[in-house]
Amino acid sequence: MAISSDVIRGYNDTIILYVLLNSDSYGYEISKEIRRLTDDKYVIKETTLYSAFTRMERNGYIESFEAEPEAEGTGKRRTYYRITDAGRAYYREKCEEWLLTKDVMAHFILDDPMKQ
Amino acid sequence: MAISSDVIRGYNDTIILYVLLNSDSYGYEISKEIRRLTDDKYVIKETTLYSAFTRMERNGYIESFEAEPEAEGTGKRRTYYRITDAGRAYYREKCEEWLLTKDVMAHFILDDPMKQ
DNA sequence: CATTTTTACCACGTCTGTCGTACTACGTCT
DNA sequence: AGACGTAGTACGACAGACGTGGTAAAAATG
């Protein structure tokens, strides 16, 4: 079963910010990192990713800058993103909210639903 | 902190179906049961609840029937809902999807985000 | 017995995040 | 030359959640 983005709705920003916590990055790389971290269980859609960038930059959670690829011959122009202090704060908030959400959901999920 | 509905988006149906697993019920009672189960941590909005009923009945996950209150003097007319086999199947699917989602999210959440 | 609160439900329109489709364009590999 | 991987963007549709505002009966309160 593939997990739909709609499930994670509202948490794509959090996921992206998590990747940016470790180092500045750009769309394509972030996308690959998410796949790698989740063993391809979650593959963020391109449009979802880039619209998240727009939204988060508008909200002041990230900043963008243009940069050439570090090594020679490894692709074309890229827009890098850097997490801001506001972004870090927002990430922390969303983490707490997630933990709460998990608790709430636990009341409604049967771990072995086949028993029902 | 209140948990945003956007978080649970797509899982309100699952939550409602869970309540209906145990017994037929109606809007107002389901709403109270969700509050009770979560210790008021999650309070479903009325419009969210009733639009979920419409959607789920359309999808064949629940069936409605009119009924008078069982005990005398305990409110007015009610629309009860009953979960169908398709609803039970859908509930099971969403449970599995949730467990997967939890696993995926675990990669992106720091349990003690203040450390960052 | 008049007022307020609780119970119970619904219509309508708006907002927001996700996603489908489609497109540009450069680099690398065969 | 063509396919594939890299890197990004525009535009519009869709669906779920929610705000606003309403009806109406029953129960509780002063």
Side-chain angles (χ1 to χ4, degrees):
Chain A
M1 187 203 300
I3 116 172
S4 83
S5 269
D6 221 37
V7 177
I8 288 198
R9 192 185 225 253
Y11 277 89
N12 277 312
D13 291 6
T14 311
I15 289 172
I16 294 165
L17 290 176
Y18 173 85
V19 176
L20 292 177
L21 280 181
N22 299 318
S23 68
D24 298 350
S25 189
Y26 58 96
Y28 195 74
E29 195 181 49
I30 292 170
S31 166
K32 281 195 300 179
E33 178 67 0
I34 292 170
R35 295 178 65 147
R36 192 185 67 76
L37 285 170
T38 63
D39 246 327
D40 281 14
K41 284 196 211 67
Y42 183 49
V43 181
I44 195 167
K45 303 289 182 304
E46 273 184 38
T47 40
T48 302
L49 183 63
Y50 289 105
S51 68
F53 287 149
T54 310
R55 179 175 53 247
M56 289 202 288
E57 189 157 28
R58 183 172 10 104
N59 292 338
Y61 300 151
I62 56 174
E63 287 164 353
S64 66
F65 57 98
E66 296 294 317
E68 294 301 312
E70 291 126 36
E72 311 269 313
T74 54
K76 46 181 289 208
R77 108 191 175 276
R78 298 166 182 161
T79 308
Y80 277 79
Y81 294 94
R82 177 194 301 128
I83 190 169
T84 64
D85 285 346
R88 264 180 280 270
Y90 178 73
Y91 171 77
R92 285 194 291 266
E93 256 177 63
K94 292 300 271 183
C95 280
E96 279 172 53
E97 195 191 56
W98 173 257
L99 296 174
L100 201 60
T101 301
K102 240 183 18 168
D103 283 355
V104 165
M105 280 302 294
H107 296 290
F108 304 104
I109 297 292
L110 299 169
D111 276 357
D112 190 356
M114 286 311 162
K115 288 254 170 84
Q116 273 291 321
Chain B
M1 188 207 297
I3 114 172
S4 86
S5 270
D6 220 37
V7 177
I8 287 199
R9 192 187 225 254
Y11 279 91
N12 278 312
D13 291 5
T14 311
I15 289 172
I16 293 164
L17 290 176
Y18 173 84
V19 175
L20 291 177
L21 280 181
N22 300 318
S23 67
D24 298 350
S25 190
Y26 57 95
Y28 195 75
E29 197 183 47
I30 291 170
S31 165
K32 280 195 300 180
E33 178 67 1
I34 292 170
R35 293 177 66 146
R36 193 186 65 76
L37 285 170
T38 62
D39 245 329
D40 280 14
K41 284 196 210 69
Y42 184 50
V43 181
I44 194 167
K45 304 289 182 301
E46 274 184 38
T47 40
T48 302
L49 183 63
Y50 289 105
S51 68
F53 286 149
T54 310
R55 177 173 54 245
M56 288 202 288
E57 189 157 27
R58 186 174 5 105
N59 292 338
Y61 300 151
I62 56 174
E63 287 163 354
S64 66
F65 57 100
E66 296 293 316
E68 294 301 313
E70 292 126 39
E72 311 270 312
T74 53
K76 48 179 289 205
R77 107 187 177 279
R78 297 164 183 163
T79 307
Y80 276 80
Y81 295 94
R82 177 193 303 127
I83 189 168
T84 64
D85 286 345
R88 264 179 281 270
Y90 178 73
Y91 171 78
R92 285 194 291 266
E93 255 179 63
K94 291 300 271 185
C95 279
E96 278 171 55
E97 194 190 57
W98 173 255
L99 296 174
L100 203 60
T101 302
K102 240 183 20 170
D103 282 355
V104 165
M105 281 302 295
H107 296 290
F108 305 104
I109 296 292
L110 299 168
D111 275 357
D112 189 355
M114 286 310 164
K115 288 254 169 81
Q116 273 291 325

